[in-house]
Amino acid sequence: KFSLYGVVMMTVMVALVYAALAEAPLGSLYRFLSAVFLLALLASVRGPGAAEGGRAAGTMGDPNEWATMVLLLAPFLLGGLADDDDGLARLLRMALVGLAPLAILRSESRTALVVGTLVSPACLYMLRRHRGELALCGIAALFAAPFVIDLDTALHRFTQLVANLQGAATVQDSSLEERSELFRQGVQLFKDHWFIGAGPGNFATATGFVSHTGSFRPAHNTYLEIASEQGIVGLTPTIIFLTTVGMTLRTAWKEATKDGDRNRILGVAAGLGALALMAATLGLLTFSMAYLVLGFGLAVVHQARRE
């Protein structure tokens, strides 16, 4: 019931955010949100890791969810700052470009590293007018990286994952092993209850999978969670919802006549796209920031379509 209640609450939030921002000027709000987010990024990069192994967890308490937050908000905010020529916006833009990748590396999230690489072309396209700023941020990051992150440690988990997938690792990856088994059991659960599912919130007990710590484990995959717990009945509206969001953003981007509106739409699309990819390894069904960005994005779409 908590998952379903959460979705209802998030839907109400989307409607409220859209209604509040549809006719409001968004430039100053983009700057304010960027400044607040940068404070969290700075604390994450400079402070000691709060999660196991010294991994940075930011404001989320979980390094993977924090990396998801960075991947969602960084492109979204860069889209709003890309065509803002205000001096403050320029500083915020450069700080985001420099700190967001460092925060992802500090989280040591392997999925986030891959997803960040996939969405980076969209961010570079939004900032195509600011090549000088990008070059300056790159140089600054190269000098600052050795003082704020241990690159060998940050990349160790990724290389270990690749070695396990190739069968050449000497140390077993317990996280990969657990998620592989959860995926296999989740698929079997969907086959056993393909129409209506095992019931929302019942994945852990329905599979009966017990981790090395002796506890039941969630699906760690939003799509698998919906499929196994809600079956075709849940998958159908999910597919319709994702398709509708994608088509809405695509149509608005094609119809927009200003570069500023196009970049804002692309930022929303890149952020939500990154979250959709991260959802394949995390349970993000009620990830509230995603719905906040969606409501904000609908306001951006509305303003881009106005004459």
Side-chain angles (χ1 to χ4, degrees):
K1 64 183 181 180
F2 296 107
S3 297
L4 297 180
Y5 291 169
V7 170
V8 173
M9 292 170 63
M10 296 302 102
T11 304
V12 173
M13 184 175 70
V14 170
L16 287 174
V17 172
Y18 168 65
L21 299 181
E23 302 296 336
L26 302 178
S28 58
L29 186 55
Y30 267 111
R31 294 184 211 125
F32 173 75
L33 293 176
S34 299
V36 173
F37 182 51
L38 280 170
L39 292 176
L41 283 178
L42 189 61
S44 172
V45 170
R46 292 191 59 188
E52 182 180 357
R55 299 170 62 189
T59 59
M60 301 298 293
D62 179 272
N64 295 311
E65 291 187 356
W66 169 241
T68 302
M69 181 80 79
V70 176
L71 288 169
L72 170 67
L73 293 182
F76 159 63
L77 294 173
L78 285 174
L81 298 174
D83 291 273
D84 193 337
D85 295 326
D86 183 82
L88 176 60
R90 184 177 295 107
L91 293 175
L92 294 172
R93 188 167 56 230
M94 295 176 64
L96 272 176
V97 172
L99 289 177
L102 294 180
I104 292 174
L105 287 173
R106 285 279 284 119
S107 74
E108 297 181 25
S109 172
R110 298 171 289 193
T111 307
L113 190 61
V114 175
V115 173
T117 303
L118 294 176
V119 301
S120 58
C123 296
L124 293 175
Y125 178 78
M126 289 186 292
L127 301 175
R128 60 193 180 279
R129 293 178 51 238
H130 309 287
R131 296 183 180 88
E133 293 180 8
L134 291 174
L136 183 60
C137 290
I139 295 172
L142 287 176
F143 280 103
F147 299 99
V148 296
I149 62 172
D150 185 343
L151 193 58
D152 292 336
T153 302
L155 296 179
H156 172 69
R157 283 167 48 81
F158 184 75
T159 56
Q160 184 183 15
L161 173 64
V162 175
N164 272 277
L165 292 175
Q166 294 176 342
T170 57
V171 179
Q172 189 177 34
D173 190 326
S174 58
S175 177
L176 176 63
E177 177 191 12
E178 177 181 286
R179 292 179 186 235
S180 299
E181 181 61 21
L182 283 169
F183 181 80
R184 187 190 69 78
Q185 295 200 23
V187 170
Q188 185 59 49
L189 187 61
F190 172 69
K191 291 179 180 178
D192 294 339
H193 306 276
W194 62 271
F195 181 67
I196 201 170
N202 289 336
F203 179 91
T205 53
T207 59
F209 176 79
V210 179
S211 69
H212 297 296
T213 60
S215 58
F216 290 115
R217 299 296 290 162
H220 284 301
N221 185 322
T222 305
Y223 309 109
L224 184 63
E225 177 185 349
I226 294 173
S228 58
E229 293 184 355
Q230 303 178 44
I232 297 295
V233 172
L235 276 177
T236 300
T238 301
I239 293 172
I240 293 173
F241 169 71
L242 294 176
T243 303
T244 302
V245 172
M247 292 181 64
T248 299
L249 293 173
R250 178 178 178 272
T251 303
W253 188 83
K254 292 176 64 176
E255 293 179 351
T257 58
K258 299 178 181 178
D259 286 340
D261 290 332
R262 285 174 175 267
N263 286 329
R264 287 181 177 183
I265 294 169
L266 182 58
V268 173
L272 292 177
L275 179 120
L277 292 174
M278 291 296 293
T281 59
L282 293 169
L284 302 177
L285 187 60
T286 55
F287 196 73
S288 57
M289 192 61 71
Y291 294 90
L292 181 66
V293 172
L294 177 59
F296 200 115
L298 292 178
V300 169
V301 167
H302 171 75
Q303 295 189 12
R305 285 176 167 172
R306 292 185 307 184
E307 295 186 3

